[in-house]
Structure formats: C-alpha cells, structure tokens
Amino acid sequence: MLVRIHRIPGAILAAEKVPGTSLFVCAWPYVYGICPYMKMTGSDIDNDPQPEDLFLWQAHPARRKQTETVIAIVVISAMAILVYRLSHTLLGSIFSALVLIMALQRFFFPSRFEIDSKGITAHYFMGKKHFDWQYVRRFTHDENGGYLSTRSTPARVDAYRGMHLYFNEDRTEAIDRIEYEMEANKP
C-alpha cells in the first residue's frame, strides 16, 4: 500500500510501510527489472506530500500479449534470416533485427506513465514525452490503450503530435484520473 511519495533530486521513491515496524521500504520505479531497496524510518520521509497527487503506472504490452510477442519475434527472426540469405552478412542481419525491434520499442520494452496536477509524462525506452493539461484537448481510449492529443479534432498529424498510452490492471483508475485532470484544467 502506497503511503507517501518521497522526492529526492533525480528520483521519486514509492514508499511502503513494513507491517509491525516503523520502517518503510522504498522502491525505485525508474529502474526496469532491478529494484534496489532502501529502508527508511518515518522521520526520513516527507510528512506533507500527497500520494494521490502523483499517479504512476507501468505497462509492458509484450509481457501481457504473449501470442503477439511470439509472432513478432518469429517475423523479426524471419526477416533477419532473409537479410542474411540475400546479403551473406551477419552484421546486416543483426542490424535489420535491431531496426525492427526499435521500431516496435513501445511494444517490446516497458513504458512508465506519471500523472500529476500539472500534466502527464510518458517514459519510453528511447525517450520521454510530457504534456501539460492546459494543452491537452482530446482523450480517446479503448480496450488496448488511450491517446492524448493537443488538437480538438482528429487529423493525420496526430500520430506524430500526440501521446499513446498503454494501460494494465489500473486502466479505470488511469482513465478516471486523466478525465478528471482534463476537466479541472480546461482553458
């Protein structure tokens, strides 16, 4: 259960109280797969931050959609083999596989999302995107994810100007929070 958000320059720690003790265990959500833990006493944790002010979630579509992951890996492998057969260079084959994996980076690698009262930030494997709520005009979502746009009407450039969101189990919480923040920050 999240009890506080402790801010340290360059990091945000999600703190959980250890039952039956006065200690808190803090996980570093910015590190994928590696979770260094640090024990802190209650006096080390900020007393006034509001945990509900910051809403965090992580999505990893490749882990959730295992059939599609297997198909993608088979197609990427087949393309790498085809490049090797045609060019007879292992380097070209490896390069083509890496290009395809990077083209599908948001599928293969985890994405982290943060919502606060100022805006929403998406941390992808190869970059970060932030929108202030005052500039968000449209939010659409379905069972696969959501899309935030700075344009009130759909256009062809939306794919390059908007923010694609992926949800996990916390889908309804994320959607409710986004809709609330958009309404609260309407121009």
Side-chain angles (χ1 to χ4, degrees):
M1 179 175 152
L2 184 68
V3 290
R4 302 184 198 285
I5 298 296
H6 180 68
R7 296 173 193 268
I8 295 176
I12 296 177
L13 304 176
E16 293 186 31
K17 185 164 176 33
V18 177
T21 69
S22 63
L23 297 177
F24 291 87
V25 177
C26 298
W28 298 70
Y30 286 134
V31 181
Y32 294 127
I34 304 167
C35 224
Y37 290 99
M38 183 171 103
K39 290 185 178 175
M40 302 174 73
T41 63
S43 61
D44 295 331
I45 295 182
D46 295 339
N47 292 322
D48 57 347
Q50 300 295 325
E52 62 273 358
D53 186 44
L54 185 65
F55 181 71
L56 306 162
W57 81 93
Q58 180 171 318
H60 193 178
R63 186 172 287 170
R64 202 179 69 194
K65 300 177 178 183
Q66 294 179 352
T67 305
E68 288 89 341
T69 303
V70 170
I71 292 169
I73 290 171
V74 167
V75 168
I76 290 170
S77 300
M79 287 296 165
I81 291 169
L82 180 66
V83 167
Y84 180 75
R85 293 273 202 164
L86 294 174
S87 67
H88 300 289
T89 61
L90 184 61
L91 189 60
S93 177
I94 292 170
F95 179 74
S96 67
L98 287 175
V99 166
L100 291 172
I101 289 171
M102 293 318 296
L104 297 171
Q105 64 152 324
R106 292 183 189 170
F107 178 78
F108 281 116
F109 300 104
S111 300
R112 287 183 332 279
F113 301 94
E114 300 173 2
I115 297 175
D116 61 19
S117 59
K118 295 178 183 170
I120 181 168
T121 306
H123 299 270
Y124 302 115
F125 179 70
M126 298 265 311
K128 172 179 159 178
K129 190 177 261 193
H130 176 82
F131 281 175
D132 287 332
W133 292 120
Q134 62 185 355
Y135 300 115
V136 177
R137 300 287 181 256
R138 186 168 41 98
F139 173 52
T140 57
H141 55 87
D142 60 15
E143 66 276 353
N144 296 318
Y147 179 76
L148 290 170
S149 178
T150 56
R151 300 172 55 88
S152 55
T153 58
R156 291 180 187 241
V157 295
D158 280 350
Y160 307 103
R161 297 186 64 188
M163 181 186 294
H164 295 275
L165 307 172
Y166 302 103
F167 303 123
N168 278 335
E169 300 82 33
D170 45 15
R171 178 182 189 279
T172 54
E173 283 180 79
I175 290 171
D176 290 346
R177 181 69 187 262
I178 291 168
E179 289 174 344
Y180 169 78
E181 293 294 348
M182 285 181 65
E183 186 65 32
N185 292 288
K186 258 187 187 173

